[in-house]
Amino acid sequence: TTLSVEGMFKYFRKRFASHLTESSRRRARLVSKDGRCNIEFGNVEEQSRFVFLVDIWTTILDLRWRYKMTIFISAFLGSWFLFGLLWYVVAYIHKDLPEFSPSINHTPCVENINGLTSAFLFSLETQVTIGYGFRCVTEQCATAIFLLIFQSILGVIINSFMCGAILAKISRSKKRAKTITFSSNAVISKRGGKLCLLIRVANLRKSLLIGSHIYGKLLKTTITPEGETIILDQVNIDFVVDAGNENLFFISPLTIYHVIDKTSPFFHMSVETILQQDFELVVFLDGTVEATSATCQVRTSYIPEEVLWGYRFAPIVSKTKEGKYRVDFHNFSKTVEVETPHCAFCLYNEKDAKAKAKRGYDNPGFILSEVNETSDTKM
């Protein structure tokens, strides 16, 4: 019993230590897996914040739905109540209200306004053009006619702006990006005799992305020869698809790959050192939505723990008996371990050695010693 308790204690202590190690090694992301940017701006001057009000259209579009709907409801209710007060003031100045006991021959500016509530209802009817016919403006005072024209024009502007903002929010291509998915891990293995970094991407809709283009950025901290430390230094990563990098036929899942050659930032990494690196690989997919012709960008990121060395992706496309092509998304991020060189440098050295052997190069470690033969035969 004592041994079992000690064994459990050692087990939990080991798990706790590994959890602490994992937590300490958890890296901050600039781009989350679903494409959101993890960045904040501090000490922004008040003059710079005023720019957001100047570009009010983009500001409204970027707001969350709860804030947008709050502004939508407040804009209409506020304008109705404000003009309701103005209509009440007009009726009060013209002494149309019942407390002034108007005569039978008195012609009010607005028929049947008896208080603030009826003034609010008339404001609502005017701005949304309901027109019940019970309350209406007469030709008695020009102030009421001017206020009617002004509220009608302003109501059309508010209605067009707010309804347009909601329609633009709904139809943004950002929602189309949700149907483009990347594999949860990137893998490094041989492809076509070269060491490559591979990522799988899939389109969950049958409608295409027109003019799709895939590229990547490697974010890391670098120190210049002058001693300057650059955080989030960006290095271009070229991705290739067998069918070409431009105008992809993106109807089925594609495997994009980056060739790790001497110009690649992954060239000096190996299976033993890749987890010790500090980088973030951000992958972008740009295209045009076929249905709306709006441009769309999808992005995701990979940190060193999500780059698996010595693996390849499991097959995902098969053909059924009925002659249809079936995509099994159960294997979308599934990987299979394969034999892979420990580093790109090892692969190129191996290729050079094989090439030299085919060309008949001498072994530089072999030393030929010459022996002088003398004839000592005596007759």
Side-chain angles (χ1 to χ4, degrees), residues 10-296:
K10 291 181 180 179
Y11 172 77
F12 285 114
R13 185 174 61 181
K14 185 178 179 181
R15 289 293 302 272
F16 182 71
S18 62
H19 176 73
L20 290 179
T21 304
E22 185 70 22
S23 299
S24 62
R25 294 185 59 182
R26 190 172 298 167
R27 307 170 192 263
R29 290 179 180 271
L30 177 65
V31 179
S32 63
K33 297 296 286 185
D34 58 356
R36 291 178 296 177
C37 295
N38 180 27
I39 191 171
E40 63 178 17
F41 300 99
N43 299 324
V44 180
E45 298 180 358
E46 296 295 333
Q47 296 178 354
S48 301
R49 294 181 180 179
F50 181 73
V51 178
F52 291 96
L53 296 178
V54 175
D55 188 15
I56 188 64
W57 177 254
T58 306
T59 303
I60 293 295
L61 289 183
D62 289 339
L63 288 176
R64 295 180 179 270
W65 273 108
R66 52 179 176 268
Y67 302 125
K68 185 184 295 291
M69 294 307 300
T70 300
I71 294 176
F72 180 85
I73 295 173
S74 300
F76 282 102
L77 289 179
S79 61
W80 296 340
F81 184 73
L82 176 62
F83 280 100
L85 289 176
L86 294 178
W87 287 114
Y88 179 80
V89 170
V90 170
Y92 184 86
I93 294 175
H94 198 253
K95 297 183 178 180
D96 297 336
L97 300 176
E99 56 261 29
F100 293 106
S101 301
S103 61
I104 300 176
N105 296 328
H106 177 77
T107 303
C109 290
V110 181
E111 296 282 357
N112 299 310
I113 287 187
N114 302 318
L116 187 59
T117 303
S118 57
F120 175 79
L121 292 176
F122 179 71
S123 173
L124 189 152
E125 295 171 15
T126 301
Q127 189 163 327
V128 300
T129 64
I130 294 178
Y132 290 120
F134 182 68
R135 299 179 182 87
C136 59
V137 178
T138 64
E139 69 271 12
Q140 184 64 26
C141 45
T143 304
I145 297 175
F146 174 78
L147 186 60
L148 177 68
I149 295 173
F150 182 72
Q151 183 178 6
S152 299
I153 295 175
L154 186 62
V156 171
I157 294 175
I158 294 175
N159 188 60
S160 301
F161 183 86
M162 298 308 301
C163 293
I166 290 181
L167 180 61
K169 181 78 171 179
I170 295 174
S171 59
R172 290 182 78 179
S173 57
K174 188 176 182 180
K175 300 301 180 182
R176 177 65 174 92
K178 299 296 183 181
T179 56
I180 306 296
T181 180
F182 288 88
S183 57
S184 57
N185 293 294
V187 298
I188 294 179
S189 60
K190 292 176 64 175
R191 185 184 182 91
K194 301 177 182 179
L195 191 64
C196 301
L197 183 143
L198 300 98
I199 297 172
R200 180 172 276 174
V201 58
N203 180 14
L204 301 181
R205 287 186 179 274
K206 292 185 178 180
S207 59
L208 301 178
L209 282 180
I210 303 173
S212 300
H213 175 60
I214 299 175
Y215 58 97
K217 299 285 184 180
L218 188 70
L219 309 179
K220 60 179 182 178
T221 302
T222 58
I223 300 177
T224 63
E226 296 77 17
E228 180 186 2
T229 301
I230 302 177
I231 300 177
L232 299 179
D233 186 25
Q234 300 184 14
V235 179
N236 290 327
I237 301 294
D238 296 325
F239 282 97
V240 183
V241 183
D242 291 334
N245 197 26
E246 299 287 345
N247 300 324
L248 304 177
F249 185 47
F250 197 16
I251 191 64
S252 62
L254 298 175
T255 300
I256 61 175
Y257 60 93
H258 163 71
V259 179
I260 304 178
D261 52 14
K262 295 182 180 179
T263 61
S264 172
F266 294 95
F267 184 76
H268 298 287
M269 300 182 190
S270 65
V271 63
E272 294 86 4
T273 62
I274 189 170
L275 294 179
Q276 302 171 4
Q277 303 294 323
D278 185 15
F279 67 83
E280 180 178 354
L281 175 61
V282 184
V283 184
F284 301 87
L285 172 62
D286 296 340
T288 303
V289 181
E290 186 180 28
T292 61
S293 298
T295 57
C296 171

